[in-house]
Amino acid sequence: MITASEYRDLPLECLAESANNPRRRFDESALIELADSIRTQGILAPLVVRPVGQHFEIVAGARRFRAAQIVGLETAPVRIVELSDAQALETSIVENLQRRDVHPLDEAQGFAVLMRLEEPKYSIEQVSAKCGKGPAYVAARLRLTELAAEVVDAFAKDEIGVGHALLLAKLQPEQQLEVLNACYQEQYSNGNKAKRILLPVRHLQQWIEHNVFLELTSAPFSKVEAELVPEAGACSDCSKRTGHNRLLFDGMEPKNDSCSDPQCYAAKIEAHVRQAIAAKPKLVQISTAYGAQKEGSSVVPRNRYVEIRQEKPTKKDQESWPEYKTCKFTAEAIITEGSEKGEIRRVCANPECPIHHARKPKPGIDAAVKAEQEKRRREEAIAQVTGLRVLSAITEAVPVRLMKRDLLFVVERLSAVLDDRRLAIILRQHSLGKPNAATDATAKQLSAFFRKADESTLGRLLIELAVLQASASPSESSKALRETAEFYKVDVGAITAKVKQEFATKDKAKAAKTASERKPAANGAKKPVAA
């Protein structure tokens, strides 16, 4: 509380800046402008000072003090007040935070200093009321004090904007450097060196939501159990959960109740798996990952089990599919490797099971078998063309998110593990011809195509490769396409109908041609004899 107030002109040499001034950054050009104004009009608003020892400490007015020094003034108008250290700190911070030109980092430090005061004790809501800002605004600014040093440096140099910094501040420090790179995009032109472009804030927010935040609604572990990982506590009241800390994660979609700490999320997945196996030692451990299994691993790889679907078949022909049937070997399993880790499934992992691991009979050669083969070939052709059309429609919906070097890195490595069948699909999809008999030649052909492609094409290729990676078998291919199409809102039914119509038109034209070729023979016409 101010107990005394006096207006005077004091020599500049009697004034000293406060060490607690929240403003740490002074724009030189703005100081020069202020100095020019003072030179012509003088100091219009007196500085607020308090007596400290043999000098007067500036509580508010450091910019005016510096500008007066530039002009060369000997004295400055001041208002002398009697303030305690806590009162002086509060007055300095509040006065400076009400200025429009204060840097967000200085603003954040000012809020933090107020929150650390012992007397009076402030809450976010009280700081908000004192400074005339909303609680969400104050909470977001406070998080800026937890930015990694590299991010602070980029922000201070105006390499990123306040919107980018506020999004980065919502993340854990170890994630911020990775996400900082996602703020930029490299652009190439005429073979020149890449130019780094700062992406809009909305792009960064979408990137974070897709690549960092983990949806808790689908997490296999309990969100209310505090003892699963004792040092982390329960998700239900965790400040790193977007649905709980609404002040910090203001602006996030309400449906996206997500975890912003992937390391904590992964630790809870591991703890959940250990807990489940300890409770049920007979659980079959399965993998959904691709690639060779570690030697001596007890985890069953994806090609050694059949997952039993919980839902009923929706089509008549699906009733004969193995995944819709149960057997005496059906058992509960837990995914311990790959995607969906920690989730419980029902599988058959017995290689002797005649239902799920039956040996396919060799095809016969009679007419009925040939007709069935022809029917399957035609259905596969329709499915293949439909798949290609759906894949094209999906990739048309893919936005550009990553930098070109990142896209190129992922695309080249995903394509390197594809088999010949799936490589042929990529070549056909982009009109690159047929696979070369020499594997190296095909790889070089694809590599050259990838490196010439722009970011939009690489982004679409990334989705194509992701779908093909999940398409080890026809049933998996259909599932992968269906799920991806649903994600990108592609109308599979319309594409399928159009492809069937095209095949029917071709069949009709082929039948008409065959009939016209047989007609002369039916009329007794003879083929001309060669001379």
Side-chain angles (χ1 to χ4, degrees):
M1 182 177 183
I2 299 175
T3 58
S5 180
E6 178 185 353
Y7 289 88
R8 290 171 54 186
D9 283 345
L10 288 178
L12 295 188
E13 60 187 21
C14 295
L15 306 179
E17 293 188 37
S18 171
N20 293 320
N21 186 0
R23 187 190 293 274
R24 303 297 184 192
R25 294 160 182 80
F26 293 85
D27 184 84
E28 290 298 326
S29 60
L31 277 177
I32 292 173
E33 288 181 6
L34 181 57
D36 291 339
S37 174
I38 290 174
R39 187 178 288 110
T40 57
Q41 301 182 46
I43 300 176
L44 301 179
L47 287 64
V48 179
V49 301
R50 68 170 183 147
V52 177
Q54 301 300 314
H55 68 278
F56 291 86
E57 181 184 81
I58 299 173
V59 177
R63 287 181 72 251
R64 281 163 280 166
F65 172 68
R66 293 193 179 197
Q69 288 179 315
I70 293 173
V71 173
L73 296 182
E74 294 183 357
T75 63
V78 301
R79 180 165 69 96
I80 304 172
V81 292
E82 293 289 341
L83 297 171
S84 66
D85 290 345
Q87 291 170 335
L89 179 62
E90 178 184 320
T91 302
S92 176
I93 290 171
V94 172
E95 197 275 344
N96 275 284
L97 295 184
Q98 290 174 340
R99 303 283 181 181
R100 290 186 177 181
D101 60 341
V102 66
H103 195 279
L105 288 172
D106 294 340
E107 197 175 18
Q109 289 295 340
F111 286 142
V113 171
L114 276 180
M115 293 292 292
R116 287 195 294 267
L117 284 177
E118 291 296 331
E119 184 62 38
K121 194 71 176 176
Y122 278 104
S123 66
I124 287 180
E125 288 73 18
Q126 288 171 326
V127 173
S128 166
K130 180 72 73 172
C131 301
K133 308 288 185 181
Y137 181 96
V138 175
R141 286 297 194 272
L142 283 169
R143 286 289 294 197
L144 292 179
T145 62
E146 300 179 29
L147 285 173
E150 291 85 347
V151 180
V152 171
D153 186 56
F155 188 23
K157 293 178 179 178
D158 292 329
E159 293 176 358
I160 59 174
V162 62
H164 302 87
L166 290 172
L167 284 175
L168 289 165
K170 298 178 191 291
L171 309 178
Q172 302 308 302
E174 59 270 15
Q175 299 169 309
Q176 292 176 12
L177 298 185
E178 175 192 355
V179 181
L180 178 61
N181 292 326
C183 293
Y184 308 103
Q185 180 183 42
E186 289 185 352
Q187 287 190 352
Y188 298 81
S189 60
N190 301 325
N192 295 329
K193 186 178 179 181
K195 183 180 180 182
R196 195 169 71 163
I197 303 297
L198 181 64
L199 292 171
V201 174
R202 68 177 184 278
H203 282 254
L204 182 62
Q205 179 166 340
Q206 290 171 355
W207 194 94
I208 291 172
E209 290 176 0
H210 282 81
N211 296 277
V212 178
F213 288 173
L214 299 161
E215 285 194 24
L216 285 169
T217 51
S218 59
F221 53 81
S222 170
K223 271 71 78 178
V224 297
E225 184 180 346
E227 296 303 317
L228 185 62
V229 179
E231 59 271 24
C235 300
S236 54
D237 56 358
C238 178
S239 62
K240 292 178 281 190
R241 179 170 71 86
T242 62
H244 175 71
N245 195 347
R246 298 307 299 170
L247 281 179
L248 176 60
F249 296 102
D250 182 54
M252 297 289 296
E253 289 291 332
K255 64 181 180 180
N256 291 340
D257 190 6
S258 306
C259 172
S260 64
D261 188 347
Q263 290 186 344
C264 181
Y265 187 94
K268 290 197 173 186
I269 290 284
E270 291 291 346
H272 167 74
V273 169
R274 290 194 301 270
Q275 190 181 78
I277 294 174
K280 295 182 178 181
K282 292 186 178 180
L283 273 177
V284 179
Q285 297 183 44
I286 61 174
S287 171
T288 57
Y290 291 92
Q293 203 74 3
K294 294 180 180 179
E295 188 175 351
S297 174
S298 60
V299 180
V300 181
R302 61 182 300 141
N303 61 339
R304 299 286 180 85
Y305 67 86
V306 174
E307 182 183 334
I308 312 303
R309 295 194 181 187
Q310 299 299 315
E311 69 274 14
K312 294 182 179 180
T314 56
K315 297 179 181 179
K316 187 69 176 175
D317 60 333
Q318 292 178 340
E319 294 176 358
S320 61
W321 293 5
E323 55 263 46
Y324 287 105
K325 297 180 179 180
T326 58
C327 67
K328 63 180 181 179
F329 304 110
T330 300
E332 269 194 329
I334 185 169
I335 302 172
T336 57
E337 293 179 3
S339 60
E340 301 170 331
K341 186 175 181 179
E343 294 189 7
I344 301 296
R345 297 285 190 267
R346 293 177 69 242
V347 303
C348 172
N350 191 318
E352 302 301 321
C353 175
I355 297 176
H356 297 104
H357 301 275
R359 293 180 176 87
K360 295 181 179 180
K362 293 183 179 180
I365 57 173
D366 57 25
V369 172
K370 287 184 177 180
E372 180 65 22
Q373 289 177 339
E374 177 61 21
K375 179 182 176 182
R376 287 186 180 180
R377 185 202 64 75
R378 188 174 185 278
E379 288 176 349
E380 289 173 358
I382 291 176
Q384 185 182 41
V385 175
T386 302
L388 288 172
R389 298 280 180 87
V390 172
L391 194 60
S392 295
I394 290 170
T395 54
E396 286 294 326
V398 176
V400 177
R401 296 191 185 282
L402 304 179
M403 292 184 286
K404 181 173 180 178
R405 63 177 184 179
D406 303 312
L407 291 167
L408 186 59
F409 177 85
V410 178
V411 166
E412 287 183 334
R413 277 147 187 79
L414 285 177
S415 64
V417 298
L418 293 182
D419 55 25
D420 292 341
R421 178 182 66 84
R422 286 177 280 188
L423 280 176
I425 292 176
I426 289 292
L427 292 170
R428 180 178 176 184
Q429 175 77 350
H430 296 277
S431 304
L432 299 177
K434 296 181 179 180
N436 197 297
T439 306
D440 289 344
T442 300
K444 289 180 180 178
Q445 181 183 9
L446 280 173
S447 179
F449 170 66
F450 294 157
R451 292 182 180 279
K452 290 180 181 178
D454 57 23
E455 291 181 18
S456 178
T457 302
L458 287 173
R460 293 168 180 170
L461 274 164
L462 188 60
I463 301 301
E464 290 176 11
L465 291 168
V467 173
L468 292 172
Q469 281 279 21
S471 306
S473 67
S475 62
E476 289 176 340
S477 176
S478 176
K479 180 182 177 183
L481 275 174
R482 183 175 66 253
E483 291 176 348
T484 311
E486 287 175 358
F487 183 83
Y488 284 106
K489 296 181 174 57
V490 171
D491 191 344
V492 177
I495 295 175
T496 303
K498 187 173 181 180
V499 171
K500 287 183 176 180
Q501 183 180 8
E502 291 175 3
F503 270 76
T505 302
K506 289 180 181 178
D507 289 344
K508 187 175 180 181
K510 184 177 179 182
K513 183 179 179 182
T514 303
S516 64
E517 290 174 350
R518 290 177 178 174
K519 190 173 181 181
N523 294 335
K526 296 181 179 180
K527 293 182 179 180
V529 179

